[in-house]
Amino acid sequence: MKRIRQPIIAVLGHVDHGKTTLLDKIRKTNVAGKEAGGITQHIGATEVPIDVVKQIAGPLLKLWKGEIKLPGLLFIDTPGHEAFTSLRARGGSLADLAILIVDINEGFQPQTIESIEILRRYKTPFIVAANKIDRIKGWKIQEWEPFLVNIKKQDQRAVQELETKLWELIGKFYEIGFQANRFDRVQDFTRELAIVPISAKYGIGVPELLVLIAGLSQKYLEQKLKIEVEGPARGTILEVREEPGLGTTIDVIIYDGTLHKDDTIVVGGKDKAIVTKIRALLKPKPLDEIRDPRFRFDQVDEVVAAAGVKIAAPNLEEALAGSPVIACRSEEEIEKAKQEILNQIKSVVISTDKVGVIVKADTLGSLEALSKELQEKNIPIRKADVGNISKTDVMEALSVKEEKPLYGVVLGFNVKVNEDAEEIAKAKGVPIFVGNIIYKIIEDYEAWVKAEEEKRKKELLAKTIFPGVIRLFPDERYVFRRSHPAIVGVEVLEGRIKPGYTLIKQNGQKVGTIKSIKSKNDFLQEAKKGEAVAIAIDGAIVGRHIHPGEILYVDLSRDDAIRLVKELRDMLDETDIKALKMIAKVKAREDPFWAAL
Ligand code: GDP
């Protein structure tokens, strides 16, 4: 029997922008003086039956022409982008639709941007709740009022301020490629992002938000929401939890089929598929019926998608948040499910001996999200795994560091760094980048790479000798001193010279070391092509080793040449290259290495 299930809805947005307040408000719908009861608490989710939506919405439902056939809406209780990334299903997101909440007074913040990136990556449709409109100066509050009714009561000034703030928000969306508009001005919901101004605290605009979610789901997601009710259940693990008296349990959102209390399930573990038989299906007891906190759950015989349920079963200790749950009714189905789950894990949890970064995350989904982002930036990954950052991770990064310093790092999303891992990382200089915003973790890493590269370049620059070719002036008048040290006037023909550089003759013979460079009365740290300067050369005697008019070359080592050509290439200009070629020609007589340069 086919039926349309409840769409699964996630709430995302920056910290303090009102995600929890909105969810709480939705949960308290029936306390709002309306008749509509029936909000049901699931495990990890809250269900708003369609009758409740209809009663709250009243005449607003006319916004949607066709009849709403959805049984209701299922809101995921844990808001935020971290939780969202663990809601994997079928390679995409478990959430059918999302609400992106933005504090209208604060606008875009880092986690707003991160949320949008994640929604975009998962191709999850969303609508925007522009929250805290009650904070606008002089705003008149009426609990649970539809926005379109509430706005009519506001004075001109407040309306104007709201419009300005909305325009700012619309502008921000435009900058990142979204056409957005206030929901009642949207012409085509497939092209424009709808913004509903709300006050989560007072419920203003929440009626429209619910109607819009129901209507959009009905209109655009009907095919996806049509499920075979009797079919075997499929779901995603939200959380793996230890429960007193129950052992390790998994909190699961079922998005397809029906789960029976005596089903066999296959779930994803760290590196394996776990096959286990359900011991109990549990739902939370209504709050007013919890007399003893040890008995917070009721057993049920079955759950029909979409629903949140706690599953108690043996062998769940190694189950992985974010991995699939597939109910099976035959050996054949079990085998198929095992294969499917293993393939999914293998595509995310990777372990290689490649030179690359170490990636850790709290769930399979967030690991996948972080890894994908790194791959898009062509940052190679050696290992990607779920869990806190351990000593082993740091040791592995250290071994990479020896080969490729810039990849010898650990990146972690929403994970802790174990104490011993932290210690060894500090001692061995292995950088760890952790956080709960994917793009920030990567930005921090990239900034570090850039700084390291610059540091390395500076070090290289400091120890690399640059090529230079000079000529002593032919006139004897420019021999200022013949020896100890010899001081002569020279012109730099190509490249550059610096104090400390050793000079050689055309035949490769060493002349001595430049002690100082002087122009008029100033000592210089460098003289470049075209400059005429006086140099003091330690170890040379004019008339014996060098003669007026002679051409001299800076002596380079093979290492200098390799660094110049390979790593400092962009620091060389045309004349440096000419000088390098001239020096190579001189040195090639003795060493074939230079001929090949
Ligand atoms: P979260 O971090 O996104 O879950 O944000 P919260 O729901 O915890 O809200 C953060 C703060 O903003 C709390 O002090 C809320 O009371 C307040 N807040 C949330 N929504 C509104 C609203 O619509 N109006 C006002 N005035 N305050 C709000």
Side-chain angles (χ1 to χ4, degrees), residues 50 53-54 56-64 68 70 73 127 183 205-218:
I50 204 64
V53 177
K54 282 180 180 165
I56 295 171
L60 281 174
L61 268 186
K62 288 204 210 87
L63 279 174
W64 300 101
I68 303 268
L70 300 173
L73 309 172
I127 55 182
F183 70 99
V206 177
E208 278 106 327
L209 195 63
L210 294 176
V211 171
L212 215 58
I213 292 168
L216 287 172
S217 305
Q218 172 86 48

Side-chain angles (χ1 to χ4, degrees), residues 14-21 131-132 134-135 199-201:
H14 192 72
V15 62
D16 281 348
H17 280 198
K19 301 179 291 292
T20 314
T21 309
N131 191 28
K132 307 197 188 180
D134 59 280
R135 289 234 177 121
S199 161
K201 190 168 172 179

Side-chain angles (χ1 to χ4, degrees), residues 1-6 8 71 90 96 221-234 254-258 303-307:
M1 186 184 67
K2 288 235 175 208
R3 188 179 61 93
I4 298 177
R5 67 161 166 82
Q6 305 89 327
I8 299 167
R90 302 153 293 196
D96 301 298
L221 300 174
E222 199 178 332
Q223 278 318 310
K224 191 178 174 196
L225 299 180
K226 213 173 248 174
I227 57 162
E228 189 58 64
V229 180
E230 304 295 329
R234 275 179 171 257
I254 302 292
Y255 60 80
D256 199 1
T258 299
V303 282
V304 184

Side-chain angles (χ1 to χ4, degrees), residues 232-233 262-266 326-330 333-335 337-338:
D262 43 13
D263 274 344
T264 293
I265 51 169
V266 184
I326 305 176
C328 301
R329 292 167 187 175
S330 68
E333 280 180 16
I334 291 176
E335 272 320 301
K338 269 166 77 176

